Every structure is written in C-alpha cells, then in structure tokens.
Amino acid sequence: VLCYQVLKKDKPEEAGADRNLIFASAFCGIIFLLHPVALITGAWTACRADVLGGVFALLSLLILAREMKKEKISIRSLALAQPLAILSYFSKESYFFLPLLAPALVIFSPGRRKENFRKMVLVFLSFALGFLVYLGLRLSLFGRFGGYEEFELSLSWLLPRFFYHFPRVIKKSLWDFIFWRAEPRSFAYHWILWSLLGFLILSLPALARSLKLVFFSLCWMLFSLLPAWNLSHMFLYGESRLIFFSWMGFSLLLGGMIYHFRSRGIRSLGVCLLLPFLVFSARAGWKELFQLQKRSEEQKLVQDMILSRKSELKNAKRIYVLGLDCDYYYLDPMLKLKDPSLGDKLFIPVGIEGFAWIKSKYLKEYELKKESRFLPRIKVLYRGEKWTNISADAPQDLILARLND
C-alpha cells in the first residue's frame, strides 16, 4: 500500500485508473515477500519485535505519504503519525532512523523547492520531537538507550567503529539482497547476475523519469541500515532481521522501475528478467524455513535432554553443555528463563566468535602474557591509536578457564 502511494505521487499524471500502478505495487510486495530476509524474519520468534516495529513504522510513513499531494501538510496528520512512530521505537529501538527517512518523502510533493524544503523541516522536527518523547520515556523506564555496548559520545569512540563497521554492513547487505547465500561462480550466482544486469540496462532509459523514486529508495535502504553501524560481525551469522526494513527499500526500487517503463512490452521484458531472481529468492527462502524448523526441533531435543537430567545434576556446582554450534546461541537464556534455578549453574558456550572493541593499551598488556589454555585466543581485526577491534575464540579448556577466571 505504501508502494502504491509513493508511485502514485511519483507519476501523478498517470495516477487514477492506471492498472500499471496496481501491478507494480503488487509486484513490489511479491518481491519483498518471497525473499529469505522477509520469510525468516517473519517466521523466527526472536524477530517478532522487528516485524511489529516495521508495521508501526510503515503506518506512520503511510499517513505521511497521503499528505504529499496537498499544498500544505496537515498538522493533524503529523500528530497522528507520531504515536505510531513511538510504538515502532518501543517495539524495536533500531527504528530510530525514522526522523531521517520521513523527510525524504517530501520529494514527491508537487510544490516548489522552497515550499518543499519547509515541509521537509516540518516533517523532520515533528518526527524528531516524537523520538525525543520516546527517548524520555525509555530513559525513565529503563535508564539507558543502546544495545550491545555502552554508548560514548566522543569522536574517538564513534569514528573508528563507524568507518570499520558501516562499509562492511552495506557490502554484506547488498550481497544478501541480491545473492543471499549463493556460492560465487555457481550457476545460481551467474543466473541472477546476468538477469539483473539485463534489467539494469533495460532500466536506463527510465532512469530520468524515476530519479525521485531512486533517491527515496536509496535513502530508505541506507538510513534503515544505520542501526547496524556497529554490528557488522552479526552478519556472519545470517542476522536477516538487521536488514529486514532495508530490504523493503530495495523491493520498492525494483517494483518502481517496472512502473516507470514506458510500454507494456518493455514492462513484460523487465518482469521476465526479474523472474530468475524471484525463483532463486523463493527457493532459498523455503530452504531457510525448513532449516529453521529443523534447528528448532534439534534445540527442543537438547533442551529436553538437559531438563531430564536436572534431578541427577542437582548437586552439581556447574553444568557445562559443550560442542554446540552457533545455531544454539539462544538456548542458554531460553533454559534459564524456563527454569530460573539454572541461572547460576548452566553454562552453554557455542561455536561462535566473540567480537569486542577494547582500549589499545589493554591489548598490549594482554599480548605480553604467555599463551594459556584458559585465556581466549584473539585475532586483531582493526588497531587504532585508542581503540582496537578483536575477535576472540573460546579457550581450549573451558572448564579450566572458568575456574581460573
């Protein structure tokens, strides 16, 4: 529906009874729906917050999109969009980019540049105010804002992280959008590559008519990746939820280009060129869903095995479950939520690297120590003057490490 509203504003002279508008909007929805990013995020319980936040964010943008055909933006509509935006922040705080994305919708407004600039400022201020309301509520309820790392407002803290992580986030996101997990030089890889290159060449004549759409889609993709600016390591483990909202922007770009083709023949050829991409996405998505179901069943089996031995291990000071891979990442907290008595006992390390930013002076101290079976094995990924990014594998002897921690 949002795609329909955006395309309707992008080519208003053909809006109304234009069946191409409905087709392009529906095609955009199909592109989004069939991709593994959408399928996995919708199916995985841990991603429900991302989906819910996306619903509220889309509703707030939809209210704003309906205002773009008017000379002046209704203050009432802006006020109505803010509670929905606040609900999206509370569902998932990574939707904080909305105050940046919402003003980009103003480019579809029919007014003059000066008037549109005023609208853009008004939209930004209203969404920024909504975010400040959320931030105040968040801090009063939880006392902090942020996720994996304590946030420090200084350039020496921000810049190394941003310039190290964000290029990797963008590169991996684009790869996941187009190829997902296709092996380079495989048949599927070449099939998708050449069909999309053909679609790009076919789209070149329509580019001049679709500059607003391209700009808005790129803003959507880039701004919605900003919350992952410090989480490039999460992409090593197929964190589809991190790019869930950004994938909508990519879908809008593909569906919108179909709409901007001049003739039915070119439009049909464009759809045919995208079919290999759709087929691959659908196959990869269903494969991921079956693997997710299999992993869920395996986790349930391991969980039942641990709980069945609880009485046998009731006198144990510490319970180690070793040899599990990164798919069991959530098993430890899930078991402790299910049975709080395991909180101080259970230890389930999984085969997943730990990533951290540490002060460079501490790394020098660590490197002076001799290698030990109970010290993590580290690899330096980025070394700066003040901060260093490292990956750490688990010690060779986990039980000895725990006793000597």
Side-chain angles (χ1 to χ4, degrees):
V1 175
L2 181 62
C3 181
Y4 178 89
Q5 290 292 335
V6 168
L7 295 179
K8 187 176 180 181
K9 307 299 183 300
D10 197 25
K11 207 161 66 167
E13 72 276 4
E14 294 186 20
D18 190 359
R19 279 184 273 179
N20 296 329
L21 178 61
I22 299 174
F23 173 78
S25 303
F27 190 68
C28 172
I30 292 170
I31 293 172
F32 167 75
L33 182 64
L34 292 179
H35 199 275
V37 168
L39 289 172
I40 297 170
T41 307
W44 193 11
T45 305
C47 303
R48 296 291 164 86
D50 302 81
V51 176
L52 186 62
V55 169
F56 288 128
L58 285 175
L59 288 173
S60 66
L61 291 174
L62 183 59
I63 290 173
L64 187 62
R66 292 173 64 87
E67 291 292 309
M68 290 303 105
K69 63 182 178 181
K70 301 177 182 178
E71 290 294 329
K72 293 183 178 180
I73 298 178
S74 167
I75 300 299
R76 181 181 176 183
S77 296
L78 285 176
L80 185 61
Q82 297 322 303
L84 293 167
I86 291 171
L87 286 172
S88 74
Y89 306 144
F90 269 115
S91 301
K92 189 76 173 181
E93 63 184 22
S94 57
Y95 284 96
F96 70 78
F97 59 83
L98 278 179
L100 296 175
L101 178 59
L105 268 171
V106 178
I107 64 168
F108 297 108
S109 180
R112 298 177 181 177
R113 286 186 179 180
K114 193 173 182 179
E115 295 170 351
N116 286 348
F117 179 75
R118 290 174 182 170
K119 288 181 183 179
M120 197 174 291
V121 172
L122 180 61
V123 171
F124 171 75
L125 290 176
S126 63
F127 274 82
L129 180 61
F131 180 74
L132 289 175
V133 170
Y134 154 75
L135 194 59
L137 291 171
R138 165 88 185 190
L139 293 175
S140 64
L141 290 171
F142 304 107
R144 65 188 295 270
F145 175 78
Y148 291 91
E149 193 177 13
E150 195 69 28
F151 194 83
E152 186 179 310
L153 196 60
S154 67
L155 290 178
S156 64
W157 188 92
L158 286 167
L159 292 181
R161 288 161 171 77
F162 183 84
F163 288 114
Y164 176 80
H165 286 289
F166 201 53
R168 288 166 173 78
V169 167
I170 295 174
K171 181 181 177 181
K172 187 63 168 65
S173 299
L174 289 174
W175 178 272
D176 285 347
F177 289 160
I178 299 172
F179 301 109
W180 189 239
R181 295 179 182 175
E183 290 292 332
R185 299 182 181 179
S186 64
F187 174 74
Y189 170 83
H190 288 291
W191 196 27
I192 297 165
L193 178 65
W194 290 109
S195 62
L196 287 182
L197 280 175
F199 181 81
L200 179 62
I201 294 170
L202 193 68
S203 304
L204 289 177
L207 191 61
R209 300 191 300 276
S210 57
L211 287 178
K212 290 181 179 180
L213 171 74
V214 172
F215 173 78
F216 179 68
S217 300
L218 292 177
C219 285
W220 187 318
M221 292 164 58
L222 187 64
F223 290 155
S224 53
L225 287 174
L226 283 175
W229 68 275
N230 197 22
L231 296 174
S232 66
H233 54 282
M234 298 290 280
F235 285 79
L236 296 175
Y237 311 107
E239 288 288 333
S240 59
R241 58 184 175 176
L242 297 174
I243 57 176
F244 172 68
F245 204 78
S246 183
W247 167 241
M248 295 183 192
F250 195 86
S251 306
L252 175 64
L253 179 62
L254 294 179
M257 293 309 299
I258 291 289
Y259 178 55
H260 279 279
F261 290 148
R262 282 192 180 276
S263 66
R264 182 180 295 180
I266 296 176
R267 196 171 293 115
S268 300
L269 180 58
V271 171
C272 290
L273 287 170
L274 286 179
L275 279 179
F277 172 68
L278 289 177
V279 171
F280 168 78
S281 296
R283 288 188 61 189
W286 283 109
K287 184 179 178 181
E288 292 284 347
L289 284 179
F290 283 120
Q291 289 178 349
L292 181 64
Q293 181 64 34
K294 183 181 178 182
R295 290 197 299 268
S296 299
E297 292 170 356
E298 290 171 350
Q299 284 207 23
K300 182 68 167 60
L301 181 63
V302 175
Q303 176 180 299
D304 291 343
M305 289 172 63
I306 294 170
L307 293 175
S308 67
R309 299 189 62 185
K310 182 185 168 186
S311 58
E312 179 187 339
L313 300 169
K314 64 181 180 181
N315 295 323
K317 292 182 179 179
R318 192 81 174 164
I319 302 169
Y320 292 89
V321 183
L322 307 178
L324 300 179
D325 60 28
C326 62
D327 286 337
Y328 292 85
Y329 179 75
Y330 287 103
L331 184 60
D332 186 280
M334 284 168 59
L335 277 168
K336 290 172 181 175
L337 283 172
K338 190 177 184 70
D339 188 347
S341 68
L342 294 171
D344 296 328
K345 286 178 141 185
L346 190 65
F347 184 56
I348 308 181
V350 295
I352 183 172
E353 285 183 295
F355 290 80
W357 286 85
I358 64 171
K359 290 188 176 179
S360 299
K361 61 180 181 180
Y362 297 135
L363 177 65
K364 292 176 183 177
E365 293 177 12
Y366 187 89
E367 289 174 333
L368 291 174
K369 296 180 180 179
K370 293 181 180 179
E371 288 192 11
S372 170
R373 286 184 299 159
F374 60 86
L375 286 178
R377 293 161 291 170
I378 66 169
K379 181 170 66 175
V380 176
L381 303 176
Y382 166 87
R383 190 190 293 263
E385 184 180 346
K386 292 186 177 181
W387 290 93
T388 297
N389 183 242
I390 62 168
S391 68
D393 286 325
Q396 294 176 10
D397 193 329
L398 283 163
I399 298 176
L400 185 65
R402 178 67 190 177
L403 294 172
N404 290 273
D405 188 358

